Each structure stands twice: as C-alpha cells, then as structure tokens.
Amino acid sequence: MAAIQRRQFDTLIIGAGGGGLRAALRLSEAEASVAVVSKVFPTRSHTVAAQGGMNAALANVSPDNWHWHMFDTIKGSDYLGDQDAIEYMCRAAPKAVYELEHFGVPFSRLDNGSIYQRAFGGQSQNFGGDQAVRTCAAADRTGHAILHSLYQQNIRAKTHFFDEYFSVDLLKDEEGHVLGALVFNIMDGQPLIIEAKTTLLATGGAGQIYRNTTNAMINTGDGLGMALRAGVPLQDMEFFQFHPTGIAGRGMLITEAARGEGGYLVNGEGERLMERYAPKAKDLASRDVVSRAIATEIREGRGCGVNKDHVLLKLDHLGEAVIQQRLPGIRQTCMTFLGIDPAEAAIPVSPTAHYTMGGIPTNRHAQVVVPVKDTPEEAVYGLYAAGECACVSVHGANRLGGNSLLDILVFGRAAANHIIGHLAENRYHRPMDESSVEKAMQRFQRWNKNPGQDGESVNVLRHELKTVMEKHCGVFRNEAVLREGVEQIEQLAERVKDAKIEDHSDTFNTARVEALELENLIACGLATMHSAFARTESRGAHSRMDYPERDDKNWMRHSLYSLDTGLDYKPVRTKPVSVDSFPPKPRIY
Amino acid sequence: MSRPNPVSASQLHWRCRRGMLELDLLLNTFVEVQFSHLSREDTALFLSLLEYPDQVLLDLLLGKMESSDAMVSDLTARIRRTWFDKFNCAKTT
Ligand SMILES: Cc1cc2nc3c(=O)[nH]c(=O)nc-3n(C[C@H](O)[C@H](O)[C@H](O)COP(=O)(O)OP(=O)(O)OC[C@H]3O[C@@H](n4cnc5c(N)ncnc54)[C@H](O)[C@@H]3O)c2cc1C
C-alpha cells in the first residue's frame, strides 16, 4: 500500500453546517489551526434549509426571559432533556443572536429597530401561561443567512476547508484517544489522514433513514456511524421527530404557518379531524399531537387517496389573495412539485421524518461522554460533538421548533471554548495507532472489490432500509411491529456486508460514497429500532400503542445503544446549574 | 448534440446534492432524465447554475424569482418541466 498522505492540525471539524462553522470560527480566532471537512460545499449544508428561525428570550415582542424558555424546553422534551444543558443553552441564547448580528446576519426588524421575533409552538410566558414570541428570524431564510455569514467569517479568519472530502472513520491511539480521521477527496478518491489533537463531529442528522423525510439527501447520519464504530454508544435514538405536514410521498415541508393562517386538515370523510384530537388548539396543537392524529386517521382507514395513505391540508377557503400574500412559498412548492394550486385544491400531507433528537452523547461542554465502569459519563479524550448529530441533551424526547439552530450555535461555541483549554494543556500530537488507520482503510477499500458474485445493490438495500424504518418505527409503534423491525434491520446489517457496487473508479465515484453512507444509515437504523423496541413507555415522539403512558419511575433515563454491547441506560441530569429543578408533570398544552 | 460531455453524470449528481430536499429532487431528476441529451453548452450552463447559492437556486426553480438571463430562465423552466413530466403532476391533482 502506497503511503497515505498526512496533514496535522490542532482541531479537525467534521461538518460545515452551523454547528461546525460556529466552532471553527471561535477556534480560528483563537489562533488554533483548524481543518473543516465537508462532503458538500459548506454553504450547501443542511442548515441552509432552516427557514423558521431561532429561539432566544430577547423580549422584543412579548415579555420574556431565559428561565421561561428553559421551562418550555424541559416541558417540550417531556422531561427527558438534561436540565443543566438546557439552562446553559437558554441563558446563552440572547448572546448567540447578538453575535450572529455582529457576524452580519441580517435579522428582520421591528418598527422600533429591534430584532423581529415570531411566535412558534410550545413557547409560553410565565411557565406555561400566555403565548411567548421568541423566535428570531431573517425573513424566511434564517439558516441561509447564518450559514453564509459564518462561512464568510471563517474565510476571513483563515479556517482551512477541505470541501467535498468524505470522512470515513475516526482514528485513535492505543489508549483509545481520538486523534483525527481518515477522509478522502471525492473528486479523485485519494485518502488523507488528518491528525488532530482534538476532533469535533458536527455532521448533522440522519433523516434519510426514513422513506418520507423533510431532510436533504446529505443527512445520512455519517457522524453517528463513525461514533458507533469507534465504540461510542448512541443516545436516545428512539426519539425521532415527525413533522405532521410533509407533502405525502415526497417529503417537502409545509410549515406550521399554513395552519397558523387558518389552514386545516381533513380526512377521507371530509371531516376536520383535529377537532376530535385537540378540541382547544385544534390544527395548531403541538407537532407530535398532530402527527399522531393524522397517523391514527390513516391507520383506521380514514385516509385520503387511492391508498388512503394521507390526509388533506385545506387552504382554498383562504382565497387566492391571502395565499399569495402570506404563503407564497407554499403555493410555489405545491405548484412545482404536485401541479396543485392550494388556492384551488387541498394539499396531500402525511407525517414526515424531520429531526434526529438522539445522537452522540455529550456533556454541556460538547465533550463526548461514555459510561466507564460505574461512571455514566466519562469524557472520551480528544472527541467532541455538536449540533444535530449530538445529544447533549437539550431536546430530550421532543424538540421545540426554533431550538435547533440555537442548539448548534451555542454548543458549537461551547465545544470551541473547551477545545481551546484542551489545546493549551496538550501541545503535542500523540502517536497514532497504525492498526486504527488500517481498519479505516479496510472499510474505505472494501467497496473497491465485490465480495461475491451475488451481492445485492446498494440502492436496493437503501430503499429496503427506509421502508423497514417507516413501517416498523414510524409515528406509532408496538411490540410486535418493532420485534419484526429489529429482525429485518439485523438482516439488512448482515446483507450489506455482501453488497456490491459496479463503479470501482476513483474519480467522482459517488457509488462508493453512497455505499459508505448506507453503512452509516444502517448503523443509525439499528440504534433507533433497538432503542424503540426496548422502551416500554410513551414519551414525546416515541409513541407505543401497547404502553400509552409516560412511565417516569422506570423510564426517566437515557438509552445508550452500542454495536458491541447493545443497550444500556443512564440517568437524566435533572439538576440545573443555578436554579431549581423542574420536576416532571403531565405535558398538556 | 455537439462534442461529448466533459463531466460525468456522477460528478453532476454530486454537485446536485444540496442543503434542501427540494433542490435535491429537482436537480437530480433533471440529471437522471436529461444527462444523455445534454450538449457541452447545456452542461456548462447547468454547472454555472449549480454555483448559485441554495436559496437563490430555490427561488429560481420555484419561480419566485426570474433570471434576467434568458438562457438561465430557459434552463430553470426545463428543470421544472422534467420533474413535472416524470411524475405526471397534473394527474396527482
Ligand atoms: C426543512 C427543515 C427546516 C428546518 N427549520 C428549522 C428552523 O426554522 N429552526 C430551527 O431551529 N431548526 C430548523 N431545522 C433543523 C435545523 O436546520 C438542523 O437541525 C440544523 O441546521 C443542523 O445543523 P448542523 O450544524 O448540526 O448540521 P448540518 O447543517 O446538517 O451540517 C452537517 C455537515 O456535515 C457534513 N458531513 C456530514 N457527513 C459527512 C462526512 N461523512 N464527511 C464529511 N462531511 C460530512 C455536511 O457536508 C455538512 O457540512 C429545520 C430542518 C429542516 C429539515
């Protein structure tokens, strides 16, 4: 084997979304040498899709403070969120917004010149009172504005970018300290070892494990797969948020704003279904409630269309003028993708996989933590995670809209702060364990040859995985369905070992990239299905028909799934940093 | 068609991987259906379109914004039409 090229940096950041770029900027400004690896050009990261906005208790529109925001986030999490991390995030939120403003994000303004804020679900004043107005937005392109501003700032700060490089696996020394990663250039297939004193995973979510998803094709859970293979368990993977209104069979998100403007859902019998499920909030009930209502209608045979597999979102009664003025984006989306004008016909929608609440377990400094003997949270030397791939856990069993952009920025920055301290104390690179390089290279090169003649194709297996996840680990779950799901996904994990690709070239071999992504998707699917099967309660996004109640006595704990040892659990951190705990209460809106 | 294409379909597919599902679907469908019919000039134009930021590309492809360049506007209309024809959109209404 020819020698593999090597580069050394203080910090390797895998992922150039909002989380990775926020960390990179802080580090580059602190004079650390930083490499950012991204499989797509940085400003094409998924953060660009976030249109709604970012939560911070600025109190520009309604009275507000971080403590109310903290309460809402804990309640929203169905009491599975870690209260120290949530306090830290909510307190840091206003500063995170002002920093972005300073970096050039053009937040929309109120008439008095202060930052515009809009109302989102789950936000309250005074610990569950009136609606709070907490979401800061840059028109309908908040994520885009954040990503572009952070990228420009990083260019100015001389962050080193490896664009269109794919990260294969983490590299370690003999003691298990993480020392960088094996990556390769998608353009020419050449591998590269990036040695780093600290490594931050910021690879985003895994929405592509489901057939119907709002997520872009890049969201294949690569960081989660890398963590699992490096021996780090994944936390709370059974909690996957389904957005109630994705376009049926396609996935495109139809925002809550459509229902906020007076749109409503009807079933196959022409009935306004939400009146039965949430008589007060109706179509504006929280995401998990509306998703469950739609799934129930479909399951009980009251869906619409030939296959009765969706319901309809009606907007036509609002009139063309209102739709054009207030919901132009939704109108254009429907006309482009469905040939439907919502001013004339209803939109077919169904619950659609949207956000990965679980992920790589970290503490509030974004250090990756694993159980070691009797200690539930021992930091893995040199390894950090932030953003949607991490589980810190501020979203617990259910994320509130607008809290994810906040999460990626606050914990991206927290990671950088901790890394700066680490670099001050660890000035030299440690020697790499070459067997870890060999292992990563084997995984990379495995796709250059086909193990047998009858290996299945990557596309077929990916399609099957998505169908299994949707059928066996969707909005509603029960023991029999999950048991079958576990069997099928275990079989897929075996079948992928013999899978094959036809293209063995080096230049832009996207078949190989997709094969490596499939292995990561299957790893995420395994973690999700096993964790869901074992959790015999309903909490937040995890709805068990056979265990419909939340069970705090037995289940107020985080799941940890590892490839070698299966499931384990650790307690929720219920003690905040400076204020009193919020004890669990029924979650009623 | 003029001279053969200087880029491969897989290279184009990778450049069509974007931060938004809407773009993934429209752009990849276009490459899938049209790649073998693309001339060198078409490909160059398509590649230059792919350089646009995601949000601008979305506005152009959903018709929220019209390009002042007639060739770009033709191309975006073609991308939309390719999706429309492939999925027979009119019938889903
Ligand atoms: C349609 C939609 C709308 C949303 N709207 C909102 C909203 O209004 N408000 C809100 O708070 N949240 C919203 N969210 C959620 C939010 O956008 C995401 O959770 C967040 O942007 C994730 O950011 P990130 O930095 O963790 O990762 P991402 O932005 O997903 O970036 C991941 C990065 O990792 C890189 N990467 C991944 N794998 C590899 C690999 N193997 N090798 C190299 N690089 C790799 C990618 O190239 C990319 O650069 C929305 C989500 C969706 C789907």
Side-chain angles (χ1 to χ4, degrees):
Chain A
M1 186 166 71
I4 307 164
Q5 209 198 336
R6 289 176 189 239
R7 300 282 301 267
Q8 286 193 331
F9 291 88
D10 288 333
T11 302
L12 164 63
I13 297 181
I14 307 174
L21 290 188
R22 181 65 195 91
L25 180 58
R26 173 102 181 88
L27 286 162
S28 288
E29 282 179 338
E31 312 273 313
S33 67
V34 183
V36 176
V37 170
S38 176
K39 63 180 175 178
V40 294
F41 189 74
T43 52
R44 294 174 196 166
S45 301
H46 196 50
T47 296
V48 82
Q51 300 187 332
M54 154 178 180
N55 296 340
L58 303 183
N60 288 353
V61 176
S62 68
D64 207 358
N65 67 57
W66 66 263
H67 203 190
W68 299 347
H69 184 185
M70 175 181 173
F71 167 80
D72 291 339
T73 305
I74 292 168
K75 178 178 167 186
S77 81
D78 222 350
Y79 298 90
L80 195 74
D82 287 325
Q83 299 197 12
D84 58 340
I86 295 175
E87 175 180 344
Y88 179 82
M89 177 179 83
C90 296
R91 271 176 179 271
K95 190 169 170 215
V97 170
Y98 299 136
E99 270 179 355
L100 287 176
E101 194 180 23
H102 175 71
F103 297 149
V105 174
F107 283 108
S108 303
R109 298 280 154 184
L110 295 163
D111 287 344
N112 67 8
S114 55
I115 290 175
Y116 163 84
Q117 295 187 281
R118 56 169 62 122
F120 255 41
Q123 301 176 345
S124 75
Q125 300 179 39
N126 217 358
F127 311 108
D130 290 345
Q131 172 80 41
V133 183
R134 191 176 289 147
T135 308
C136 309
D140 62 353
R141 47 186 63 193
T142 312
H144 166 91
I146 291 174
L147 200 59
H148 280 256
S149 301
L150 286 175
Y151 181 64
Q152 291 307 332
Q153 293 291 337
N154 270 291
I155 294 293
R156 187 190 50 77
K158 305 213 165 18
T159 299
H160 192 108
F161 282 96
F162 290 89
D163 298 341
E164 296 188 334
Y165 275 70
F166 188 94
S167 177
V168 178
D169 263 323
L170 296 171
L171 301 175
K172 298 185 188 178
D173 69 5
E174 277 167 3
E175 290 167 66
H177 299 172
V178 173
L179 303 180
L182 174 77
V183 306
F184 70 93
N185 187 345
I186 296 173
M187 191 176 74
D188 60 14
Q190 289 311 303
L192 170 69
I193 291 168
I194 300 188
E195 288 187 45
K197 296 169 200 160
T198 47
T199 302
L200 170 67
L201 290 164
T203 49
Q208 285 292 330
I209 54 174
Y210 286 97
R211 193 171 65 96
N212 255 327
T213 175
T214 62
N215 285 200
M217 285 158 70
I218 43 179
N219 281 14
T220 51
D222 297 346
L224 307 183
M226 281 185 255
L228 271 179
R229 286 187 297 274
V232 174
L234 296 185
Q235 181 174 321
D236 295 340
M237 287 296 285
E238 63 272 43
F239 299 101
F240 210 102
Q241 184 168 73
F242 288 84
H243 196 288
T245 56
I247 291 185
R250 297 266 180 268
M252 282 74 75
L253 183 79
I254 303 291
T255 75
E256 266 110 346
R259 282 168 285 139
E261 292 294 344
Y264 59 85
L265 297 163
V266 293
N267 64 15
E269 293 163 11
E271 182 200 5
R272 273 193 74 165
L273 59 111
M274 285 312 297
E275 288 181 349
R276 260 187 293 121
Y277 295 92
K280 210 163 126 221
K282 294 195 182 107
D283 294 86
L284 286 175
S286 72
R287 281 181 188 170
D288 52 342
V289 173
V290 183
S291 285
R292 279 195 286 273
I294 299 175
T296 304
E297 293 298 298
I298 295 172
R299 209 185 56 225
E300 294 179 356
R302 291 187 297 279
C304 303
V306 190
N307 300 323
K308 292 182 183 290
D309 57 359
H310 60 266
V311 297
L312 294 173
L313 174 61
K314 266 177 79 63
L315 298 176
D316 52 340
H317 59 288
L318 300 176
E320 189 180 343
V322 172
I323 293 176
Q324 187 52 34
Q325 194 195 344
R326 307 231 188 95
L327 304 167
I330 289 175
R331 190 175 192 201
Q332 283 147 354
T333 301
C334 293
M335 286 165 74
T336 305
F337 287 98
L338 297 172
I340 286 179
D341 181 352
E344 289 167 7
I347 313 168
V349 294
S350 59
T352 301
H354 186 52
Y355 184 84
T356 317
M357 259 90 66
I360 304 160
T362 71
N363 59 22
R364 68 175 191 276
H365 308 293
Q367 288 178 287
V368 173
V369 288
V370 295
V372 176
K373 293 200 183 99
D374 294 335
T375 329
E377 301 195 325
E378 186 99 359
V380 178
Y381 180 99
L383 186 62
Y384 296 76
E388 194 170 334
C389 72
C391 185
V392 43
S393 147
V394 285
H395 309 301
N398 175 57
R399 172 187 75 110
L400 292 186
N403 262 357
S404 174
L405 287 179
L406 176 62
D407 165 11
I408 67 179
L409 293 159
V410 166
F411 292 104
R413 188 177 190 281
N417 285 341
H418 199 277
I419 288 172
I420 289 167
H422 180 102
L423 292 174
E425 285 168 17
N426 298 273
R427 309 227 339 257
Y428 304 103
H429 287 273
R430 302 169 76 97
M432 188 80 79
D433 174 10
E434 291 306 317
S435 73
S436 103
V437 175
E438 263 165 46
K439 219 167 131 202
M441 275 303 284
Q442 265 168 19
R443 175 162 180 263
F444 171 58
Q445 290 174 329
R446 170 256 180 266
W447 291 101
N448 287 349
K449 49 186 186 305
N450 293 328
Q453 277 306 306
D454 356 292
E456 295 170 276
S457 96
V458 165
N459 281 347
V460 167
L461 292 178
R462 185 178 50 231
H463 182 75
E464 229 178 278
L465 166 77
K466 285 161 167 271
T467 311
V468 168
M469 290 306 295
E470 186 163 288
K471 220 166 124 196
H472 295 275
C473 209
V475 175
F476 282 114
R477 299 149 182 201
N478 69 39
E479 185 174 333
V481 167
L482 283 163
R483 185 187 301 282
E484 221 179 288
V486 166
E487 273 168 30
Q488 294 193 11
I489 197 129
E490 288 285 0
Q491 281 167 13
L492 278 168
E494 282 304 311
R495 283 159 62 192
V496 78
K497 291 181 185 157
D498 295 325
K500 63 174 181 189
I501 55 175
E502 301 301 336
D503 184 357
H504 297 144
S505 66
D506 276 333
T507 324
F508 267 104
N509 185 343
T510 47
R512 179 165 55 196
V513 174
E514 285 172 7
L516 292 163
E517 287 176 339
L518 174 66
E519 291 176 325
N520 293 325
L521 287 168
I522 289 181
C524 293
L526 278 170
T528 307
M529 195 73 82
H530 276 284
S531 307
F533 180 55
R535 186 175 283 268
T536 49
E537 65 154 356
S538 288
R539 183 186 294 270
H542 176 65
S543 260
R544 288 282 301 247
M545 277 152 41
D546 42 355
Y547 297 93
E549 301 300 325
R550 195 176 78 195
D551 174 1
D552 291 328
K553 192 163 154 269
N554 294 305
W555 285 106
M556 220 174 100
R557 50 187 186 154
H558 296 295
S559 315
L560 293 172
Y561 173 81
S562 99
L563 284 178
D564 297 334
T565 52
L567 281 162
D568 190 5
Y569 295 92
K570 69 175 184 183
V572 173
R573 290 195 299 267
T574 50
K575 206 172 153 12
V577 182
S578 71
V579 289
D580 288 341
S581 295
F582 287 104
K585 286 191 182 149
R587 191 168 145 253
I588 299 164
Y589 286 103
Chain B
M1 216 199 309
S2 51
R3 285 159 299 159
N5 245 311
V7 290
S8 64
S10 53
Q11 183 170 354
L12 277 188
H13 270 304
W14 194 252
R15 295 273 148 82
C16 294
R17 283 260 202 135
R18 315 295 288 209
M20 296 172 179
L21 179 69
E22 288 81 350
L23 296 178
D24 281 343
L25 296 179
L26 286 172
L27 298 170
N28 279 297
T29 303
F30 181 73
V31 175
E32 211 176 285
V33 176
Q34 303 283 0
F35 182 72
S36 54
H37 313 295
L38 289 182
S39 65
R40 226 171 214 274
E41 292 72 24
D42 284 344
T43 310
L45 186 65
F46 185 64
L47 278 170
S48 70
L49 187 74
L50 294 181
E51 292 302 312
Y52 287 37
D54 278 16
Q55 190 68 47
V56 177
L57 204 46
L58 186 76
D59 288 351
L60 284 172
L61 289 174
L62 296 195
K64 199 169 168 184
M65 200 164 89
E66 181 79 19
S67 170
S68 53
D69 181 333
M71 295 215 318
V72 172
S73 259
D74 274 358
L75 179 60
T76 53
R78 208 169 140 197
I79 294 171
R80 284 165 64 96
R81 212 167 42 242
T82 304
W83 169 275
F84 215 79
D85 291 346
K86 173 156 184 195
F87 294 102
N88 219 350
C89 288
K91 281 196 191 146
T92 61
T93 59

